[in-house]
Amino acid sequence: MRGSVSYENQTSYSVITKKLNEWYIAIKNNFDEKAERLKKEVEYLIGSINGNLEFIYYHQLLDFRHELMVSHTQAKNEDDLRNAYESLKEHEGHLNGMLDYYYFFFMGMYDFRKKELVAAISSYRRAEKSLEFVDDEIEHAEFYYKMAEVYYYMKQTYYSIDYIERAILIYNKYETHLDKTIYCNFVIAGNLIDLLDHEKAMLKFEESLNIARNINRSDLIAVSHLNIGICCNAEGLYERAEENLLIALKFFEKEYHPYLLKTIFNLSHVMCKAGDFNAGDSYYEKGFNLALKTDNSEYIAKFNLLRGLYLSEECYDLIDEAFDFFESHEMFGDIDEFAFEVGEVLLKRGDIARSSKYYKRVVAARKEIQKGELISEAQIDNLLVSHPNRVGYFSV
């Protein structure tokens, strides 16, 4: 009978749906080996069905999300990710309901990876319009976490806190998601640092460290030490910052973790601020070479800023190039923090004219931050189509 669906097809679709969902769960939990195994099983099963576009699109979406995971957790080159992105772009505007949500959600994650923060928010907000088609409560929490993360990076503190509180309300219902609670605590603590409440931020980081120890997650123990080190650096507690960053470094070097570069940068930064320029330069060389090797534009800019401010004689071009990078990616939070630091250092050196220039950058960045809602509803679709830096890659 025309249009009928056989029992065999129904069974096949049920099996494929189950495998696709298992694969996505493995991806979200960064279970590399399990995700790779399920990816191969799905590819085999997908080959056995004909013409079901929903399964084909969902498979392509998860393949893209898989490549996002692999490029992050295994610090690999991004050719496969870029190829998956190009394949997926062909379906823009042709997906509905849940698939529409996943498309824009994953695109937002890709934009965030490249530090295209405004494009990331526009993609996420477009995904939010289709979130109602997703029944899984944990997926809602995942989405709220990602929104909180990008708003945190843009120093949109209160938006970030609003979304992270929504995520925590869901994660706290499930004892099996304590690791997600830890990540939420990191975002809360980061926002508290921006509010200059270092004491409460430290309590959140220490709470996360204790949870990580209780669930025996060595990776999250290391990330907790990294964050404690960053918080101590912000407070000027350089000795304690170095101590915690070295604990993180020991783990990340062994695992060649994606946070390795971030840790080395923070060690160089801490040692420079503490006046130990030999140690600062040693970490700079190590980190800068790694940034070049992995083509990490963000950290190339940040290491150059350290070189220009602390480790070279009057190398202001490097500092300005770093700020040009931040501005081109609308990284107003980084401009705010680093321009203030540069202004303070130069003022102490008696270079009042140059310090004034960087204080003005602080004022300009804070004006951008205080605008709050950066993208109007009418701009969302335009940004998704016309953002000039949409194609490319960026390793976090």
Side-chain angles (χ1 to χ4, degrees):
M1 183 182 297
R2 188 181 300 155
S4 65
V5 178
S6 70
Y7 173 77
E8 288 78 9
N9 277 343
Q10 287 179 327
T11 303
S12 176
Y13 291 165
S14 176
V15 170
I16 294 172
T17 299
K18 184 173 181 293
K19 285 295 179 185
L20 284 164
N21 291 337
E22 287 178 7
W23 183 23
Y24 185 37
I25 290 170
I27 291 169
K28 287 195 290 186
N29 287 298
N30 293 324
F31 296 156
D32 298 26
E33 293 181 5
K34 185 176 181 180
E36 198 65 45
R37 173 175 59 79
L38 288 165
K39 172 182 165 75
K40 292 176 181 176
E41 291 180 16
V42 166
E43 287 171 349
Y44 174 78
L45 290 169
I46 286 288
S48 67
I49 63 171
N50 295 312
N52 190 309
L53 290 178
E54 284 196 7
F55 280 111
I56 293 170
Y57 290 158
Y58 190 31
H59 172 247
Q60 286 184 311
L61 284 162
L62 292 190
D63 188 57
F64 179 60
R65 179 67 179 87
H66 183 98
E67 293 302 331
L68 277 168
M69 176 201 68
V70 170
S71 68
H72 180 62
T73 60
Q74 299 180 18
K76 291 185 175 180
N77 74 61
E78 313 249 326
D79 289 344
D80 290 340
L81 175 59
R82 206 170 346 159
N83 291 336
Y85 166 81
E86 293 295 345
S87 296
L88 204 57
K89 280 286 290 179
E90 296 174 7
H91 304 310
E92 187 173 299
H94 298 97
L95 303 175
N96 297 304
M98 184 180 72
L99 296 181
D100 182 75
Y101 160 77
Y102 283 125
Y103 176 86
F104 286 107
F105 185 38
F106 298 163
M107 285 296 176
M109 294 174 67
Y110 183 67
D111 288 323
F112 182 76
R113 177 70 55 83
K114 297 184 296 164
K115 288 297 182 289
E116 301 295 343
L117 302 180
V118 173
I121 286 178
S122 70
S123 293
Y124 285 154
R125 291 187 61 194
R126 181 60 184 79
E128 194 167 19
K129 292 177 178 291
S130 298
L131 187 58
E132 64 181 294
F133 297 105
V134 179
D135 294 328
D136 182 12
E137 189 177 37
I138 292 297
E139 181 63 24
H140 283 239
E142 184 89 359
F143 173 78
Y144 296 146
Y145 172 83
K146 292 296 184 183
M147 284 290 276
E149 184 180 42
V150 70
Y151 275 125
Y152 162 68
Y153 272 87
M154 294 190 75
K155 271 202 169 182
Q156 299 289 333
T157 304
Y158 296 104
Y159 288 112
S160 180
I161 290 172
D162 175 59
Y163 276 103
I164 206 64
E165 286 178 347
R166 296 191 218 179
I168 287 174
L169 281 174
I170 297 173
Y171 285 135
N172 282 346
K173 298 179 185 179
Y174 303 90
E175 290 186 4
T176 54
H177 286 80
L178 287 173
D179 58 331
K180 301 293 187 181
T181 302
I182 292 173
Y183 283 114
C184 288
N185 280 345
F186 291 158
V187 175
I188 292 171
N191 281 299
L192 288 169
I193 291 174
D194 287 341
L195 293 171
L196 302 180
D197 196 340
H198 298 104
E199 184 177 349
K200 285 185 181 177
M202 187 62 72
L203 288 174
K204 277 292 176 185
F205 286 138
E206 289 173 347
E207 176 188 327
S208 299
L209 178 58
N210 288 331
I211 296 172
R213 285 170 173 162
N214 288 336
I215 63 176
N216 197 29
R217 284 287 298 271
S218 55
D219 57 331
L220 293 179
I221 290 171
V223 178
S224 297
H225 281 293
L226 167 60
N227 285 325
I228 290 171
I230 291 170
C231 188
C232 290
N233 184 24
E235 285 190 273
L237 304 173
Y238 303 130
E239 188 174 338
R240 189 179 172 198
E242 180 189 10
E243 176 186 327
N244 279 277
L245 290 169
L246 286 172
I247 293 171
L249 180 66
K250 184 177 180 181
F251 176 84
F252 295 147
E253 281 187 321
K254 181 176 64 177
E255 298 292 328
Y256 199 70
H257 195 277
Y259 285 151
L260 175 59
L261 192 53
K262 184 183 186 77
T263 306
I264 297 171
F265 171 78
N266 277 281
L267 273 164
S268 181
H269 193 197
V270 165
M271 302 318 295
C272 287
K273 288 172 71 176
D276 188 345
F277 299 115
N278 287 331
D281 187 60
S282 177
Y283 287 120
Y284 164 84
E285 291 293 340
K286 185 175 185 178
F288 184 68
N289 288 331
L290 180 58
L292 288 175
K293 180 180 177 182
T294 56
D295 197 23
N296 193 315
S297 304
E298 177 190 5
Y299 278 97
I300 289 172
K302 287 182 175 179
F303 277 111
N304 276 333
L305 193 153
L306 291 186
R307 167 62 67 188
L309 184 60
Y310 292 110
L311 301 172
S312 297
E313 287 291 329
E314 299 184 352
C315 204
Y316 301 113
D317 287 348
L318 288 176
I319 299 174
D320 289 335
E321 285 171 13
F323 282 109
D324 288 343
F325 175 84
F326 298 151
E327 287 179 359
S328 69
H329 288 74
E330 301 183 65
M331 297 166 66
F332 301 119
D334 285 299
I335 295 171
D336 179 15
E337 292 178 14
F338 285 116
F340 184 79
E341 181 178 342
V342 173
E344 291 284 281
V345 170
L346 295 181
L347 184 61
K348 288 177 182 176
R349 293 176 184 170
D351 195 340
I352 297 172
R354 280 200 176 89
S355 68
S356 176
K357 168 186 170 181
Y358 292 102
Y359 286 136
K360 288 177 181 177
R361 283 185 182 266
V362 174
V363 173
R366 289 182 181 176
K367 283 181 179 177
E368 293 295 331
I369 291 166
Q370 288 167 2
K371 285 179 181 177
E373 209 47 36
L374 295 178
I375 309 162
S376 69
E377 293 293 329
Q379 286 176 295
I380 292 175
D381 291 329
N382 289 335
L383 276 167
L384 289 170
V385 173
S386 64
H387 200 283
N389 296 314
R390 198 155 180 75
V391 178
Y393 61 95
F394 199 96
S395 177
V396 177

